[in-house]
Amino acid sequence: MGMFCFQCEQTAKGKGCDYLGVCGKTPEVATLQDLLIHATKGISIYAHMAREIGVKDKDTDLFVIEGLFATVTNVDFDPERLRQTLLRAYEIKEKIKKLFLETYKKKIGQDFDGELPSAAFWKPAESIAGLLEQGAKVGVLSDKTLNEDIRSLRELLLYGLKGMAAYADHAHLLGREDETATAFFHKGLRALTDNSLTVDDLVRMNMQFGTVNLKCLELLDKAHTDHFGHPVPTRVPLGAKKGPAILVSGHDLLDLEQLLQQTEGKGINVYTHGEMLPAHGYPGLKKYKHLVANYGGAWQDQAKEFDVFPGAILMTTNCIQQPRESYKSRIFTTGLVAWPGVQHISSVNGTKDFSPVISRAVGAGGFSQDIPAKNIVVGFGHNAVLGVVDKIVSAVKAGQIKHFFLVGGCDGAKPGRNYYTDFAQKAPQDTVILTLACGKYRFNKLEFGDIGGIPRLLDMGQCNDAYSAIQVAVALAKAFGCDVNGLPLSMILSWYEQKAVCILLTLLALGIRNIRIGPSLPAFVSPNVLKVLVEKFNIKLVTTAQEDLVAILGGVKA
């Protein structure tokens, strides 16, 4: 069977994966995910109308968020788990449908008789084969008559919603939700089924989404800082300590906290990997003395890094790759992440029992000796940076700092990402680099020095912490009496998956211009849509580090 997916940056030939996903997604998984998106649209058709007459349902809201998150790149690769999710989708749809119809009749005084899109009537087939047949009819390219620009803008909105779902899910696990964001999931998915919407309508919808996503980013930031405290600058060892070891990858800080609580006093050392690196800066996590170091780099190197890691591995969110047989018995998934044949740790009333992970770590033996290594510094969230904003402003006015670069985003295996290493290395000594997300692994182990005590490299955290970077930019603009576009600040972004898409839409909704993006432009953006983005926001594709620095700074010498 075939497939078509172009939601990530590494999509085959820059056009779309049509045989096997570059991420490892099989046609079967891709098709079931397409069907799950179709199912969430059907749910949201009723949920959106229900909200308009005052009806809400928490099960419905959470299912849509989790359903979208499950289809983000490198999350759920398990066909059986997806089948179960689809069956649950139908139950949820019937529940919210009944709530809507009953309330509508009660409030309006008659039965609802409006016309609805086909997604509202979807019912799952009884077999995997039947589900695959259904999924093949609702994929990205299933409607051959759909205008290219309409499809492009729909996919842009959908991928934004997927990214926001990841943030909303993390916030939900910490007991936080925002009605504006929750309602927009249903509004946005409903819009994807509305054939009356024009290109202009969908452009406006994408910009509205960007504004809503900022609220969701703020929600997650508050959830993290209220629970774990504000990050503080912290030195993180890159070596290892003798003894049993557990490596935690992904993004979910709550999973890490529960694991730390369950391993405390048991002689097991816990290491972060990938986007978990910023965890070391949170007071509520760094207090655990057995959170000892960061191991490895970004997600795309996990196969070789996990292969030689002498302990158990826990994947908490997106970023999983196909496990090698050499460590498949040592890797565990939790949350929405799943891989066939890999043991999954489920949540029971908000608590997870990580004893299988702990047992496997003890059995694996761990590191036979201490491995010394250098340290790097993390923890420059908005609270830490804004605490020295007066010092930063003074350094700019004194000519000590000439420019700021936000060099951040996703990392990946596709050629061209050495650009970000080159850019950071060639940035003049009187410039400061802000960074976040796993793209920083391209240069975060290099030495950059400081400017009057201000580090030239400020690690602001995960991709989940984009709110920090936005807050710092807004605060600097206020301090200098200008808007963000008037600051000596340039954004040099790398992207891979859908969380990067929703952050970009938020930046555009804020009116930020002149963003450079790479290493390649999204395959799902049509030429006409790209033209609009270029004309309105002056979005640029990265070229070479030297050429871009010259264009930004004018005559800079590397």
Side-chain angles (χ1 to χ4, degrees):
M1 64 182 295
M3 61 176 285
F4 185 82
C5 180
F6 58 1
Q7 70 177 3
C8 86
E9 189 270 336
Q10 294 185 181
T11 194
K13 300 178 182 178
K15 296 182 178 180
C17 296
D18 55 9
Y19 175 70
L20 182 70
V22 172
C23 64
K25 185 164 57 176
T26 64
E28 182 181 29
V29 168
T31 303
L32 292 174
Q33 288 187 355
D34 286 343
L35 186 58
L36 179 54
I37 291 299
H38 183 68
T40 60
K41 291 175 183 177
I43 293 168
S44 287
I45 288 169
Y46 291 109
H48 179 61
M49 292 190 299
R51 257 180 167 73
E52 291 182 325
I53 57 174
V55 177
K56 303 175 187 177
D57 178 64
K58 287 187 177 295
D59 289 343
T60 299
D61 296 340
L62 181 58
F63 182 88
V64 166
I65 289 169
E66 292 182 341
L68 287 169
F69 192 5
T71 68
V72 168
T73 305
N74 295 91
V75 180
D76 191 345
F77 291 84
D78 189 340
E80 175 55 26
R81 187 176 175 88
L82 287 167
R83 185 184 75 83
Q84 294 292 338
T85 303
L86 284 164
L87 296 179
R88 175 66 174 154
Y90 179 69
E91 294 175 358
I92 290 290
K93 179 175 73 71
E94 291 301 295
K95 178 183 180 183
I96 190 64
K97 174 183 175 181
K98 181 180 180 183
L99 285 171
F100 165 69
L101 293 176
E102 289 178 348
T103 306
Y104 184 92
K105 185 173 184 178
K106 181 178 180 181
K107 287 192 172 185
I108 308 301
Q110 63 183 46
D111 290 333
F112 175 79
D113 62 353
E115 292 187 12
L116 296 175
S118 61
F121 306 103
W122 172 77
K123 182 177 181 179
E126 295 181 358
S127 65
I128 278 282
L131 292 171
L132 292 173
E133 185 177 344
Q134 289 180 331
K137 296 176 181 177
V138 296
V140 178
L141 301 181
S142 57
D143 184 354
K144 304 298 183 183
T145 67
L146 190 64
N147 175 274
E148 179 185 34
D149 299 329
I150 294 291
R151 176 183 288 112
S152 178
L153 288 164
R154 284 182 176 182
E155 294 303 301
L156 184 62
L157 179 57
L158 174 60
Y159 302 154
L161 289 167
K162 288 186 179 190
M164 187 168 76
Y167 301 135
D169 186 58
H170 286 301
H172 165 76
L173 292 172
L174 289 166
R176 298 301 181 97
E177 60 183 65
D178 178 82
E179 171 58 20
T180 301
T182 302
F184 196 89
F185 281 114
H186 303 307
K187 180 179 180 179
L189 287 168
R190 173 66 178 92
L192 298 179
T193 68
D194 187 347
N195 291 327
S196 72
L197 296 183
T198 65
V199 165
D200 288 341
D201 293 332
L202 288 169
V203 169
R204 284 192 291 271
M205 183 71 75
N206 274 282
M207 291 302 99
Q208 183 183 356
F209 163 79
T211 301
V212 172
N213 184 57
L214 180 61
K215 288 182 176 290
C216 195
L217 287 169
E218 180 181 12
L219 178 76
L220 179 56
D221 176 82
K222 186 166 179 56
H224 277 159
T225 56
D226 282 355
H227 190 87
F228 302 107
H230 282 282
V232 295
T234 303
R235 290 193 172 275
V236 182
L238 301 179
K241 285 193 173 184
K242 180 180 179 180
I246 297 176
L247 185 63
V248 184
S249 192
H251 303 75
D252 200 295
L253 301 180
L254 187 60
D255 283 338
L256 176 60
E257 181 185 49
Q258 290 195 23
L259 179 67
L260 288 168
Q261 291 169 346
Q262 293 175 34
T263 50
E264 192 169 23
K266 295 184 178 179
I268 298 172
N269 295 316
V270 177
Y271 299 77
T272 56
H273 175 270
E275 283 274 63
M276 294 301 288
L277 167 62
H280 293 269
Y282 286 93
L285 296 172
K286 64 180 295 183
K287 69 181 182 182
Y288 293 95
K289 302 305 180 185
H290 61 302
L291 178 63
V292 296
N294 186 74
Y295 174 92
W299 66 272
Q300 76 277 2
D301 295 325
Q302 67 183 252
K304 62 182 180 182
E305 292 172 351
F306 291 0
D307 193 32
V308 296
F309 183 78
I313 303 148
L314 178 66
M315 298 299 301
T316 65
T317 59
N318 56 305
C319 293
I320 193 171
Q321 291 182 297
Q322 180 173 359
R324 292 180 180 178
E325 289 300 321
S326 57
Y327 64 83
K328 195 171 183 180
S329 66
R330 294 187 286 110
I331 189 170
F332 299 79
T333 59
T334 192
L336 297 172
V337 194
W339 193 282
V342 170
Q343 185 172 348
H344 189 81
I345 306 297
S346 298
S347 175
V348 179
N349 297 322
T351 301
K352 296 179 181 180
D353 179 4
F354 289 116
S355 56
V357 184
I358 295 168
S359 176
R360 192 68 186 87
V362 173
F367 289 95
S368 60
Q369 61 183 15
D370 290 350
I371 302 175
K374 66 177 292 185
N375 295 338
I376 57 175
V377 182
V378 302
F380 293 100
H382 60 87
N383 191 64
V385 176
L386 295 181
V388 295
V389 71
D390 290 343
K391 187 176 181 179
I392 293 172
V393 170
S394 296
V396 173
K397 290 181 177 179
Q400 295 173 295
I401 298 177
K402 296 291 179 61
H403 207 86
F404 297 90
F405 296 107
L406 174 58
V407 185
C410 313
D411 203 0
K414 190 175 179 179
R417 292 182 181 270
N418 284 338
Y419 165 91
Y420 299 94
T421 311
D422 294 342
F423 192 98
Q425 288 180 308
K426 291 179 178 178
Q429 292 297 308
D430 56 5
T431 62
V432 171
I433 300 168
L434 309 173
T435 191
L436 51 80
C438 64
K440 63 175 169 277
Y441 279 105
R442 291 281 168 171
F443 50 81
N444 69 339
K445 297 180 180 68
L446 303 176
E447 296 293 340
F448 290 94
D450 66 90
I451 301 174
I454 301 169
R456 286 194 58 237
L457 180 66
L458 300 174
D459 184 343
M460 306 193 76
Q462 302 178 333
C463 61
N464 292 5
D465 298 313
Y467 181 75
S468 272
I470 292 171
Q471 288 302 103
V472 168
V474 170
L476 287 173
K478 182 178 180 180
F480 286 109
C482 63
D483 64 14
V484 173
N485 292 314
L487 286 172
L489 168 68
S490 299
M491 297 190 180
I492 319 295
L493 306 181
S494 59
W495 79 284
Y496 173 69
E497 44 91 347
Q498 296 77 65
K499 284 183 280 184
V501 174
C502 73
I503 291 170
L504 177 62
L505 287 172
T506 291
L507 295 175
L508 298 183
L510 290 170
I512 296 175
R513 294 172 51 82
N514 305 314
I515 298 171
R516 283 174 164 79
I517 186 171
S520 61
L521 293 174
F524 55 81
V525 174
S526 69
N528 286 333
V529 172
L530 177 60
K531 183 180 178 182
V532 170
L533 295 177
V534 171
E535 290 177 350
K536 186 171 182 179
F537 300 103
N538 202 27
I539 285 181
K540 299 179 177 71
L541 178 63
V542 299
T543 58
T544 67
Q546 183 61 42
E547 289 173 348
D548 287 346
L549 280 165
V550 169
I552 294 167
L553 301 176
V556 65
K557 300 288 185 181

